[in-house]
């Protein structure tokens, strides 16, 4: 089944906004740490480079226990996804350079980068409590239930990205299971309006059916006569 993106507003409370700000900062920090470490390996031509799994474990597990315990304020899935994004960005740079093209190292995320992604439907929850008005609640780990409003059924979401724009609005971007298109009818028909007949219907099977003109006026002409003017 194909998938499609859908974006809608969410409305966190003031306390939840502070929780989201912490997550934005943690995710940004992990991305920058990952690319910085890869830069070091690349520039110093380190022979035994750490695998993605090893580096991800150092940044998202070891750091939370030792140097940066405040990383526990962010969902583990968001931190791991940040590592995956940094990996893809760095791999794209290496691929371009290997092909003889100019490519800069991935940009560090600045404070203005306000987004994080939760991959997989198990990393968040959705409850629709007013289907008629499209109102739902979105459970974000480390934040809680956040209210939102959508014009689509968001319960089929398989991944989620939370972001904040420059105007201070918060958004939830979902990847949804696309609804299957209805099966095409076995036959189709075309309608031609005519002069001698009201219409002629022709089907794809070759059958043709004519509809006579009702002629309502002629049938009711006598009934429309007004007795007051019959003697004129």
């Amino acid at each position: 089944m194909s998938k499609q993106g859908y974006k809608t507003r969410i409305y966190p409370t003031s306390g939840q906004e502070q929780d989201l700000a912490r997550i934005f900062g943690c995710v940004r920090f992990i991305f920058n740490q990952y690319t910085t470490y890869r830069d070091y390996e690349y520039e110093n031509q380190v022979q035994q480079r750490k695998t993605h799994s090893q580096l991800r474990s150092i940044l998202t597990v070891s750091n939370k226990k030792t140097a940066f315990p405040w990383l526990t304020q962010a969902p583990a899935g968001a931190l791991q996804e940040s590592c995956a994004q940094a990996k893809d960005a760095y791999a794209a740079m290496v691929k371009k350079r290997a092909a003889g093209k100019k490519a800069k190292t991935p940009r560090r995320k600045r404070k203005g980068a306000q987004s994080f992604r939760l991959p997989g439907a198990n990393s968040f929850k959705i409850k629709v409590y007013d289907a008629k008005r499209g109102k739902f609640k979105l459970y974000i780990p480390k934040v809680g239930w956040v209210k939102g409003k959508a014009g689509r059924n968001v319960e089929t979401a398989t991944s989620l990205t939370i972001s904040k724009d420059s105007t201070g609005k918060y958004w939830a971007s979902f990847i949804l299971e696309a609804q299957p298109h209805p099966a095409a009818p076995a036959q189709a028909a075309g309608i031609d309006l005519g002069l001698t007949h009201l219409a002629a219907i022709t089907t794809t099977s070759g059958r043709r059916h004519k509809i006579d003109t009702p002629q309502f006026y002629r049938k009711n002409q006598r009934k429309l006569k007004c007795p007051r003017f019959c003697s004129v």
Side-chain angles (χ1 to χ4, degrees), residues 2-232:
S2 60
K3 301 180 184 295
Q4 57 186 202
Y6 180 72
K7 186 176 181 179
T8 188
R9 285 277 305 277
I10 56 173
Y11 305 90
T13 63
S14 57
Q16 290 173 336
E17 288 181 1
Q18 294 178 5
D19 294 333
L20 290 172
R22 296 188 189 100
I23 299 175
F24 292 147
C26 292
V27 167
R28 185 170 57 245
F29 174 81
I30 289 294
F31 183 94
N32 293 342
Q33 286 287 301
Y34 191 104
T35 52
T36 298
Y37 194 91
R38 287 301 188 209
D39 282 346
Y40 171 81
E41 289 182 331
Y42 191 82
E43 292 173 0
N44 292 277
Q45 299 181 351
V46 177
Q47 297 299 320
Q48 294 183 343
R49 300 181 182 180
K50 295 190 182 302
T51 65
H52 171 70
S53 298
Q54 290 173 335
L55 184 53
R56 182 184 63 187
S57 178
I58 291 172
L59 295 176
T60 63
V61 179
S62 300
N63 277 350
K64 288 193 294 186
K65 296 179 180 180
T66 56
F68 309 107
W70 44 266
L71 288 173
T72 55
Q73 297 173 342
L79 299 180
Q80 293 173 4
E81 180 61 20
S82 186
C83 286
Q85 292 174 351
K87 172 194 171 186
D88 293 341
Y90 208 86
M93 181 272 290
V94 173
K95 185 177 180 180
K96 287 183 178 180
R97 290 187 178 181
K101 299 179 181 179
K102 292 183 179 181
K104 296 181 179 180
T105 56
R107 288 184 178 181
R108 305 297 186 269
K109 288 189 176 182
R110 299 182 179 180
K111 194 173 182 179
Q114 308 276 28
S115 68
F116 65 88
R117 185 170 180 265
L118 293 173
N122 295 328
S123 57
F124 57 93
K125 297 178 183 178
I126 300 174
K127 286 184 180 179
V128 177
Y129 64 91
D130 190 344
K132 187 176 181 180
R133 299 181 181 179
K135 293 183 178 181
F136 69 93
K137 288 183 178 180
L138 173 65
Y139 181 79
I140 305 172
K142 306 294 183 178
V143 177
W145 291 99
V146 181
K147 292 184 178 180
K149 189 174 182 181
R152 297 282 303 276
N153 181 15
V154 294
E155 291 181 299
T156 63
T158 57
S159 72
L160 167 68
T161 299
I162 302 297
S163 60
K164 178 184 178 183
D165 62 21
S166 58
T167 64
K169 296 178 181 178
Y170 291 83
W171 301 87
S173 300
F174 302 96
I175 300 296
L176 307 178
E177 297 286 352
Q179 298 297 323
H181 295 288
Q187 290 190 12
I191 301 176
D192 295 323
L193 301 178
L195 297 175
T196 59
H197 293 79
L198 178 63
I201 302 176
T202 305
T203 64
T204 52
S205 62
R207 298 184 61 183
R208 186 177 178 84
H209 176 67
K210 292 184 178 181
I211 301 176
D212 294 329
T213 304
Q215 297 182 345
F216 296 115
Y217 175 74
R218 290 190 178 183
K219 291 180 179 179
N220 297 281
Q221 189 173 8
R222 290 186 177 183
K223 295 180 182 180
L224 293 173
K225 288 183 179 180
C226 181
R228 291 189 304 167
F229 298 98
C230 289
S231 58
V232 177

